[in-house]
Amino acid sequence: MKIAIAIATTGRPRTVAETLRRLTRQTRAPDRLVVVGAATEDAPQVTQGAEFFVAPGRGLSLQRNHALDLIADEADVVVFIDDDYVPEPGFLAGVERLFTDRGEVVAASGHLIADGIHSRGLTFEEADALIAAYRQPGDYRLVDDTGTYGCNMAFRLSAAPRVRFDENLPLYSWLEDTDFSAQYARVGRVVRTNHFAGVHLGVKSGRTPGVRLGYSQIVNPLYLVRKGTAAPRFALGLASRNLIANIVKSLRPEPWIDRRGRLRGNLLALADIARGRADPRRVLEL
């Protein structure tokens, strides 16, 4: 089995360099490791055997599609990880075990030892300590899921070779993972599993500004419902939770989140929906 790792990155060359250093600890090396930036300035100073490419534009979906085009004919499984995701040493060995033993599985997300996206974020040193304390499970489990989590997700390419990330979801591409994996769910089993694991740092630098993300939090779920890759109940629940959280927490926002910007983006999105002009690409104008 040939396994490729693809990392899309924007504005965080030092972060991706640290991630690449830690990928050298894998007990099973990737057959190919590609990093796709939006500009030459995104290149890590230390590549650790990775190949760096510049996509024809900026945006998570566009950059991941560029990675797919580079590796599609050379890999059986592609693993997408964020540039601030640290896998435990047995990560790729676990991916290989899963996709070898379970032929019905076409897409999977691994176990998150910790996720800094919901807090101030984690450092690489904290991730190293968490991984050092982590113990492989005695039994491997699969839980069916509606989608994969973008910071660590693996796909059997032969199951849906023509599927691509939707470039109508620009920049941070909120819910691009949901849309992409929903298309795999039509042909096989999508799971969360403890076959492989890691830590998502949740680095705050280089992320989409609050207004733009807030707009995407409302409009992108609606777009996926219309496209048929998200259920109305899922979309309404997600958008509602984000709106309520931004309203409540904008009174005393966390230092690491632009709650008021997100709330403003939410309200702009609702106004566009009322006018019949809601479009995920509108964030490019904000």
Side-chain angles (χ1 to χ4, degrees):
M1 178 175 291
K2 292 188 179 296
I3 302 175
I5 295 180
I7 303 174
T9 186
T10 302
R12 302 200 293 211
R14 292 183 181 178
T15 298
V16 74
E18 289 295 330
T19 296
L20 292 175
R21 286 190 183 97
R22 284 156 176 82
L23 280 169
T24 62
R25 303 171 184 171
Q26 290 295 297
T27 59
R28 193 274 194 211
D31 295 286
R32 195 165 181 198
L33 173 55
V34 299
V35 177
V36 179
T40 55
E41 294 78 13
D42 295 327
Q45 291 183 346
V46 181
T47 59
Q48 298 288 353
E51 302 168 76
F52 178 76
F53 301 91
V54 177
R58 180 187 176 198
L60 185 57
S61 289
L62 187 152
Q63 288 169 243
R64 282 179 166 167
N65 281 341
H66 194 66
L68 277 173
D69 292 339
L70 291 166
I71 58 92
D73 297 329
E74 302 177 24
D76 301 301
V77 172
V78 60
V79 178
F80 293 100
I81 62 171
D82 281 359
D83 59 9
D84 61 344
Y85 178 85
V86 182
E88 49 87 17
F91 183 95
L92 281 182
V95 169
E96 184 170 44
R97 179 176 55 248
L98 170 67
F99 283 91
T100 299
D101 294 347
R102 306 302 294 260
E104 79 280 12
V105 171
V106 296
S109 294
H111 169 65
L112 276 179
I113 300 168
D115 190 356
I117 199 68
H118 304 297
S119 67
R120 59 171 174 80
L122 300 167
T123 66
F124 279 101
E125 292 71 25
E126 288 171 327
D128 291 340
L130 287 164
I131 288 172
Y134 177 71
R135 295 292 175 265
Q136 287 281 356
D139 61 324
Y140 295 107
R141 302 177 198 170
L142 304 181
V143 177
D144 290 293
D145 209 340
T146 55
T148 52
Y149 186 19
C151 72
N152 76 122
M153 52 187 187
F155 298 91
R156 192 187 302 274
L157 286 173
S158 62
R162 288 182 294 277
V163 170
R164 288 295 184 269
F165 290 92
D166 192 335
E167 294 179 19
N168 286 324
L169 305 175
L171 302 180
Y172 186 62
S173 299
W174 180 258
L175 296 182
E176 93 296 336
D177 48 1
T178 298
D179 175 69
F180 190 79
S181 56
Q183 297 172 78
Y184 271 79
R186 295 168 180 165
V187 296
R189 192 176 176 192
V190 176
V191 301
R192 290 190 185 242
T193 180
N194 59 0
H195 275 72
F196 52 96
V199 174
H200 184 210
L201 302 186
V203 171
K204 302 303 184 257
S205 65
R207 293 194 176 275
T208 297
V211 174
R212 284 176 164 176
L213 180 55
Y215 189 89
S216 298
Q217 286 179 331
I218 304 298
V219 170
N220 288 18
L222 174 63
Y223 173 80
L224 296 192
V225 169
R226 290 172 174 169
K227 184 178 177 181
T229 54
R233 183 176 179 180
F234 165 83
L236 180 60
L238 181 62
S240 299
R241 287 193 300 273
N242 283 321
L243 176 60
I244 292 169
N246 292 331
I247 290 172
V248 174
K249 295 183 180 181
S250 65
L251 300 174
R252 295 184 64 184
E254 308 94 321
W256 55 84
I257 296 179
D258 179 13
R259 286 289 178 187
R260 290 167 187 165
R262 290 187 186 184
L263 178 58
R264 182 167 171 250
N266 291 165
L267 297 176
L268 287 171
L270 291 172
D272 275 0
I273 291 171
R275 297 188 192 106
R277 56 175 291 188
D279 188 316
R281 293 167 293 185
R282 268 267 289 152
V283 295
L284 300 172
E285 304 168 15
L286 301 179

